[in-house]
Amino acid sequence: MSDKPVNHARAAEHFIEDTPHLQFHDERLWDMRQKRDAQMHILPEWQELREEASRIKEHTLSRLPEYLEQFETNARKNGIHVHWARDGAEHNRIVGEILKAHNARNLIKSKSMVTEECDMRPYLAKQGVTVTETDLGERIQQLDDQLPSHIVVPAVHKLTADVAKIFAKDYHTDPEIRDPHLLAEAQRQAARPVILHADAGMTGGNFVVAETGTFVVCTNEGNADLSATVPNLHIATIGIERLVPRMADMGVFIRLLSRSALGSPITQYTTHFRGPQKGGEMHVVLVDNGRSARLGMEDFWTSLKCIRCGACMNTCPVYRRSGGLSYGAVYSGPIGAIIDPTFNERKYSTLPYASTLNGSCTNVCPVKINIHEQLYKWRRVLVQHHEMPFVKREIMHMAGKLMGQPRMYRAAIKATEVSLSTMPRFVLYNWLNPWGKHRENPHPVKQTFNDWYRKNRETAAKPAAAPETKK
Amino acid sequence: MSTARDEILQALRANRPTPENHPLPPVATLGDLDASRERFITSLKILGGDVLEPVEGETLDQAILRRHPDAKVICSNVPEARGTLPVEKVKTPQDAATIDVTVVRAPFGIAEMGSIFLSEAQLPINSFAHLGQHIVVLLSVDQLTANMHTAYQERPEFKTANYGVLMSGPSATADIQGVLIRGAQGVRSLSVWFT
């Protein structure tokens, strides 16, 4: 894996150039945000639910070893085989071995971000295993050889015509189809025989209940249910942070998850797996992959509370206008920008800057992760670790000097105002001025605040301000 | 040599925040506690499910044919409906794929979400709930619980079933340009017949 920092800004630039895609992306995600708001307003207890969810998650994370052991004991009692994986490679090896032991060549799988983290599909392909995604959006991304661009709606950046083109290649449908219903039907018809002949099924897990040894999977297509109930072998890949202590806690999370994600009260399917089906075999692989280390990061451990609803993405003005793929990571958007650097600090060093710090992500987060504060804290960490891009570092350095000297600062402001109103455009809008790249510079003002203040308030304010001057 | 399990647990013990600072909050029962049939139906319709209202003098078999006139293979796992395919014929998960309409009884429903619950106790085989084209679900009005909190606290099935699915209407997707499509992968429709 290359460590080269992701050039988020350049990738976003590419996305912005395509107006129809950009406009649809922005509107679709904002629509999801508004539907979420409507759900929030229906429930007077919404803030209480968020508080409860946050406290349950923080509690669980502080006792994660005990709850994992409790889950393992109960799951084993129910006949589930439990495996532990330190990282992606270990996870892939375990899954490969289970499949090999069953001589399983065809795996159908439900969407799981953890397997994306582990880069499992190419590994299994090399072992001769055919992996077929059953979630429609994830399947579109698989056929197009792209990462999911959103954790809930993986192909949200694509228009119908894009999907028609992809399906035409693989399903031999008409590339000119413009009715999403026909395309979805093509997927259904193509998927059914694969599902019926699969040797093994794989799902993720949205929640894991320590008390009962259960894991819970939420989908709208029911594709996790098909993946788990048709083949007799079911493997579930789950991040170790997904635990909740009691079955009774699930009420809080199910009530928040889909409302925060899509603005629907619940996903069409909420499935509780507590043991293998009759004649079947069930495996759970608990994956660490950096999570235990993240738990030790004082400023960032609460990012492990995330229930992967995607609400922070839907509301983020930067995400909506740059597209998920521009983040160059498995997790995009605000949540991605705070957890990706924990996977690779250098590679994802640019992502915490992909934010206006407006706090909207924090406001919509159902488990109250202080996302925008963590974005800010990451910037500090990255500066300390010298991961700041050269130009940004130099600009900050100069800005620091300038702001430390009021007289020089005021002179610079004046000079800027003069140049904004007098200089020709080619001088102001070029590669030296990133601010002017996709937007107009601010309008020049006739009088700076400082000039106005000197003229109108300075003498009046002085006596009153005197006692306050001591630091 | 230490195992992955030991290493992960050890790292979590070393890195975790102070447990005493994060007590477990008591179980919450929040929100609307209305467990009425009306609330259930309103929620069910939001998620694309529907009610199969009986017509005077009609049997369940007739009602199913009225709702699904083109159905050839109807498989019932309840005594209230005969269907056309004996349920004993459904032995492997794949056997359920040829069915047009499956008929089952749900032990309970959740008024807040319009969800019905099914587990291996109600299904001849788990895939029965998903591989058919349509599903008709029998539900008793006095088996409605108010919301997700009451459901998880009151219903023993969540702790006993190996496979327990809450279905809230048909399979759905909006993954192609945001257009809502019912019948993506699993059942194309879900109808509730109150008994």
Side-chain angles (χ1 to χ4, degrees):
Chain A
M1 190 173 69
S2 160
D3 270 358
K4 206 171 154 252
V6 172
N7 195 336
H8 173 263
R10 186 174 302 160
E13 222 167 87
H14 185 67
F15 183 75
I16 287 167
E17 277 166 13
D18 184 338
T19 311
H21 280 84
L22 170 65
Q23 196 177 342
F24 169 74
H25 192 260
D26 185 18
E27 283 169 8
R28 165 87 171 117
L29 293 168
W30 186 246
D31 181 54
M32 281 156 66
R33 156 75 209 262
Q34 284 180 312
K35 287 187 173 131
R36 171 240 171 237
D37 287 357
Q39 288 292 323
M40 175 190 75
H41 290 305
I42 292 172
L43 302 185
E45 69 274 23
W46 186 260
Q47 299 307 336
E48 242 177 301
L49 278 170
R50 288 179 72 212
E51 184 60 35
E52 188 80 10
S54 171
R55 285 169 58 201
I56 294 170
K57 273 289 177 188
E58 285 180 11
H59 164 81
T60 315
L61 290 168
S62 76
R63 287 172 179 76
L64 205 46
E66 290 82 0
Y67 284 127
L68 282 166
E69 283 174 320
Q70 191 187 353
F71 166 76
E72 184 188 40
T73 305
N74 288 323
R76 289 223 161 107
K77 227 184 281 169
N78 305 337
I80 301 176
H81 301 269
V82 181
H83 311 260
W84 301 72
R86 278 165 284 212
D87 54 24
E90 192 161 27
H91 163 267
N92 295 345
R93 190 172 49 71
I94 292 167
V95 172
E97 280 167 9
I98 299 168
L99 293 174
K100 202 170 171 194
H102 289 79
N103 198 22
R105 295 300 178 96
N106 295 295
L107 176 71
I108 48 172
K109 77 174 276 287
S110 173
K111 185 158 65 75
S112 145
M113 297 306 288
V114 182
T115 59
E116 303 281 357
E117 260 179 58
C118 300
D119 215 7
M120 181 191 77
R121 285 200 314 245
Y123 175 88
L124 290 182
K126 266 187 244 155
Q127 313 273 310
V129 177
T130 306
V131 180
T132 308
E133 295 288 346
T134 54
D135 174 85
L136 174 57
E138 184 75 15
R139 179 65 177 158
I140 294 167
Q141 291 307 95
Q142 181 186 23
L143 292 175
D144 205 20
D145 202 19
Q146 281 181 341
L147 278 175
S149 82
H150 185 289
I151 53 178
V152 175
V153 275
V156 70
H157 59 296
K158 286 190 166 73
L159 299 176
T160 308
D162 305 322
V163 180
K165 214 185 283 171
I166 294 163
F167 278 10
K169 205 169 69 194
D170 289 276
Y171 297 159
H172 310 294
T173 45
D174 181 356
E176 298 305 319
I177 293 178
R178 291 296 175 267
D179 180 357
H181 288 87
L182 294 176
L183 292 169
E185 189 60 29
Q187 159 69 9
R188 183 184 175 98
Q189 299 305 338
R192 285 250 156 174
V194 178
I195 291 169
L196 291 176
H197 293 105
D199 305 312
M202 175 172 249
T203 67
N206 292 74
F207 303 98
V208 177
V209 185
E211 178 192 19
T212 55
T214 302
F215 58 97
V216 182
V217 184
C218 308
T219 73
N220 283 309
E221 296 174 22
N223 57 308
D225 295 84
L226 288 166
S227 304
T229 65
V230 181
N232 276 329
L233 174 61
H234 176 190
I235 306 170
T237 286
I238 301 173
I240 51 171
E241 82 283 19
R242 291 310 188 95
L243 270 84
V244 301
R246 308 161 292 203
M247 188 56 84
D249 296 321
M250 287 304 305
V252 173
F253 293 100
I254 299 300
R255 295 188 78 204
L256 284 168
L257 179 67
S258 192
R259 288 183 168 112
S260 298
L262 302 165
S264 75
I266 188 171
T267 49
Q268 306 290 112
Y269 294 78
T270 302
T271 309
H272 308 71
F273 295 101
R274 200 185 66 101
Q277 61 185 7
K278 211 164 55 188
E281 194 173 308
M282 186 179 274
H283 294 258
V284 168
V285 189
L286 297 168
V287 182
D288 181 339
N289 203 28
R291 286 162 174 76
S292 60
R294 201 179 306 152
L295 192 63
M297 299 174 158
E298 203 187 334
D299 288 334
F300 305 117
W301 71 274
T302 56
S303 64
L304 288 162
K305 291 193 286 181
C306 177
I307 58 171
R308 307 276 190 262
C309 69
C312 59
M313 304 175 167
N314 302 346
T315 200
C316 176
V318 176
Y319 175 85
R320 278 188 278 122
R321 288 169 187 80
S322 56
L325 296 176
S326 67
Y327 291 75
V330 168
Y331 300 100
S332 54
I335 188 67
I338 60 172
I339 64 176
D340 291 330
T342 68
F343 290 112
N344 187 331
E345 205 174 286
R346 186 171 148 72
K347 184 170 182 183
Y348 302 118
S349 58
T350 52
L351 298 188
Y353 295 94
S355 167
T356 64
L357 298 185
N358 65 20
S360 185
C361 43
T362 301
N363 286 332
V364 297
C365 179
V367 289
K368 291 190 143 185
I369 301 171
N370 57 338
I371 304 174
H372 76 293
E373 286 171 20
Q374 292 194 29
L375 284 164
Y376 172 71
K377 283 174 178 166
W378 262 119
R379 294 184 188 184
R380 293 185 62 155
V381 170
L382 292 166
V383 168
Q384 280 158 11
H385 295 188
H386 309 292
E387 291 291 359
M388 200 181 211
F390 173 78
V391 176
K392 208 167 265 171
R393 191 172 62 223
E394 283 311 301
I395 289 175
M396 285 299 176
H397 189 65
M398 290 189 320
K401 272 195 170 165
L402 198 61
M403 286 179 180
Q405 300 175 56
R407 203 166 292 163
M408 217 160 99
Y409 173 73
R410 281 196 285 275
I413 290 289
K414 263 199 191 135
T416 307
E417 295 298 347
V418 171
S419 29
L420 274 178
S421 48
T422 56
M423 290 225 187
R425 280 189 73 84
F426 76 89
V427 179
L428 295 171
Y429 295 87
N430 59 40
W431 66 273
L432 279 169
N433 173 20
W435 179 268
K437 257 187 195 166
H438 305 289
R439 42 167 123 65
E440 289 295 302
N441 282 315
H443 294 295
V445 291
K446 288 205 177 73
Q447 189 181 30
T448 66
F449 173 76
N450 193 56
D451 288 342
W452 177 88
Y453 185 82
R454 282 197 164 175
K455 212 163 151 189
N456 295 293
R457 290 284 186 276
E458 197 169 37
T459 40
K462 243 181 189 162
E468 303 279 336
T469 49
K470 218 172 102 185
K471 258 202 175 159
Chain B
M1 201 181 80
S2 69
T3 64
R5 179 185 188 278
D6 296 340
E7 252 181 60
I8 294 168
L9 290 175
Q10 205 178 339
L12 290 171
R13 279 199 190 89
N15 291 344
R16 63 169 157 199
T18 313
E20 289 70 38
N21 295 342
H22 305 280
L24 178 64
V27 171
T29 308
L30 302 168
D32 194 341
L33 294 178
D34 169 15
S36 69
R37 183 181 190 268
E38 289 65 39
R39 186 183 184 202
F40 175 87
I41 293 173
T42 306
S43 313
L44 176 72
K45 289 188 175 169
I46 289 171
L47 288 151
D50 205 356
V51 180
L52 185 53
E53 294 284 4
V55 171
E56 184 73 35
E58 188 187 45
T59 65
L60 175 55
D61 279 303
Q62 289 164 334
I64 292 168
L65 274 175
R66 174 164 54 83
R67 169 68 41 103
H68 302 288
D70 298 329
K72 302 270 187 302
V73 184
I74 300 170
C75 188
S76 166
N77 200 30
V78 297
E80 290 88 341
R82 285 172 56 93
T84 63
L85 177 76
V87 72
E88 299 79 40
K89 293 258 169 95
V90 183
K91 290 196 179 77
T92 71
Q94 290 78 9
D95 289 344
T98 57
I99 301 172
D100 295 312
V101 184
T102 55
V103 190
V104 294
R105 175 178 280 281
F108 68 93
I110 304 172
E112 178 193 9
M113 306 295 197
S115 310
I116 56 97
F117 180 88
L118 293 173
S119 75
E120 68 267 23
Q122 290 81 40
L123 303 164
I125 199 145
N126 293 349
S127 69
F128 192 73
H130 310 289
L131 277 177
Q133 299 293 317
H134 303 273
I135 192 166
V136 173
V137 181
L138 277 59
L139 180 64
S140 166
V141 180
D142 52 24
Q143 294 302 319
L144 287 177
T145 185
N147 66 19
M148 295 307 296
H149 303 295
T150 60
Y152 279 114
Q153 288 169 48
E154 292 164 7
R155 297 305 309 201
E157 289 89 343
F158 287 113
K159 294 184 178 175
T160 55
N162 268 359
Y163 173 78
V165 57
L166 286 170
M167 287 174 79
S168 314
S171 163
T173 182
D175 273 355
I176 304 176
Q177 209 169 313
V179 177
L180 178 65
I181 292 161
R182 312 253 189 231
Q185 311 270 0
V187 293
R188 295 178 190 270
S189 78
L190 181 151
S191 310
V192 172
W193 173 272
F194 282 106
T195 61

